[in-house]
Amino acid sequence: MNIGSLWQGLMGDKGGAGDRIVPPTGFTAQLTLFSAGAMAFLAVFALALALATGRLADRWSSELAGSVTVRVSAPAADQDALAQAAMTILQTTPGTGTPRLLPPEDVATLLEPWFGPDMPVDALPVPALIDLPVDAGFDTEGLRLRLEAEVPGAVLDDHTEWRRPLVTAANRLRMLGVVSLLLIGAASAAMITLAAKAALAANVQVIRVLRLIGARDLTIATAFVRRFTRRAAMGSAVGTLAGMAGIAILPDTSAAGGFMTGLGFQGWDWLLPLTIPLIAAVVGFAATRWAALNMLEAVR
């Protein structure tokens, strides 16, 4: 299979021997068009899922790796002094940015999803929280040991326990999107193969007559390949455009910052779905050629 053969399959003669061998309308034509369109539609969303989860994994990894949190737990009378001692240590630690002691209202906002907006957070023994930006390669273990030695009750959290499962989950979702694309391609090949075999079986008498007048199996197979390759390309083009339209009208959730943020295509990613009709044409070409040659071999 080469590009020239595929182009001939898409743009070959319209009508003529191909129309007499392969029915231009009917069950097989509708089945091929519908299955190619439906699979292309699903492929667009699977591709969007794979790209979005990849961005999500990168964002979670970079955001959580770019800072650490210091938690200072102590009796109320000593907590402010210990928090200031921790701030002094953090300000003189190389490889870090400016530490920020979270005010009580920010801590209350962090606890609101668990306790609700009406919970009197001031009455709870809430530890002091310090957000510390860090550079790549920062010595986390060295700072943890220093805080344990100089500030009793201070605990350094580098978000490893949070980051690892989140990034793992996002990477697995991305792999699921890739596997979905492969399964969609396999299902498309199977449907086109079945449709091609049905068309061949329905025209077995015509095939035998063509053989009697000297037609070769390759000539007969070429007519099927041309017809079904064109149908697969046309159906998948419609399905791809419908899928891209569906992605385009998804609501913008970036303001909420939730899991759905970034689901879709961004920038040059919008060009990737345009390759789906070409891939569908290649799949249709290969599946139909294989089905036609094997079926013709069996029909004698």
Side-chain angles (χ1 to χ4, degrees):
M1 178 173 57
N2 52 50
I3 296 299
S5 300
L6 179 59
W7 181 256
Q8 182 183 7
L10 286 170
M11 305 302 295
D13 66 327
K14 300 178 180 179
D19 284 341
R20 291 192 295 270
I21 300 174
V22 189
T25 59
F27 171 74
T28 57
Q30 296 171 1
L31 176 62
T32 305
L33 289 170
F34 175 77
S35 61
M39 293 302 175
F41 183 84
L42 296 176
V44 172
F45 283 89
L47 180 61
L49 173 65
L51 293 173
T53 50
R55 290 192 297 267
L56 195 63
D58 293 340
R59 191 182 76 228
W60 281 346
S61 180
S62 61
E63 287 181 356
L64 292 176
S67 66
V68 297
T69 301
V70 177
R71 183 176 71 251
V72 181
S73 300
D78 301 329
Q79 183 165 290
D80 289 343
L82 290 175
Q84 291 302 319
M87 288 285 290
T88 301
I89 293 174
L90 298 178
Q91 290 169 351
T92 59
T93 301
T96 64
T98 303
R100 186 176 76 92
L101 179 64
L102 271 63
E105 53 269 20
D106 287 357
V107 176
T109 301
L110 292 175
L111 297 177
E112 185 174 321
W114 285 269
F115 296 103
D118 300 325
M119 173 63 67
V121 179
D122 295 341
L124 299 176
V126 179
L129 298 178
I130 304 173
D131 179 56
L132 178 66
V134 297
D135 300 332
F138 169 70
D139 184 10
T140 304
E141 191 60 30
L143 178 59
R144 178 181 286 112
L145 294 175
R146 183 182 178 189
L147 286 172
E148 290 177 356
E150 300 184 26
V151 184
V155 178
L156 177 66
D157 182 6
D158 61 358
H159 307 147
T160 299
E161 295 301 320
W162 287 86
R163 180 175 55 191
R164 186 182 297 115
L166 288 175
V167 174
T168 300
N171 285 328
R172 287 179 180 176
L173 280 174
R174 175 167 51 184
M175 182 59 63
L176 180 61
V178 174
V179 172
S180 298
L181 287 171
L182 296 176
L183 291 176
I184 289 170
S188 298
M191 292 298 294
I192 294 172
T193 300
L194 290 175
K197 286 188 174 182
L200 283 160
N203 291 269
V204 63
Q205 296 300 328
V206 177
I207 291 171
R208 286 172 176 164
V209 171
L210 288 171
R211 279 175 170 165
L212 289 175
I213 63 176
R216 297 181 304 166
D217 284 356
L218 185 59
T219 302
I220 300 172
T222 299
F224 282 89
V225 170
R226 179 181 298 118
R227 177 69 65 184
F228 279 87
T229 301
R230 188 182 298 124
R231 288 173 184 170
M234 291 174 58
S236 61
V238 174
T240 298
L241 293 177
M244 293 176 68
I247 293 292
I249 63 175
L250 284 176
D252 183 13
T253 58
S254 58
F259 177 79
M260 293 291 288
T261 299
L263 180 59
F265 303 111
Q266 298 178 2
W268 292 101
D269 290 347
W270 282 100
L271 296 178
L272 292 177
L274 299 180
T275 63
I276 292 177
L278 179 60
I279 296 174
V282 173
V283 171
F285 180 93
T288 308
R289 181 181 174 87
W290 177 85
L293 293 178
N294 279 271
M295 190 76 173
L296 290 170
E297 185 67 25
V299 176
R300 291 298 176 187

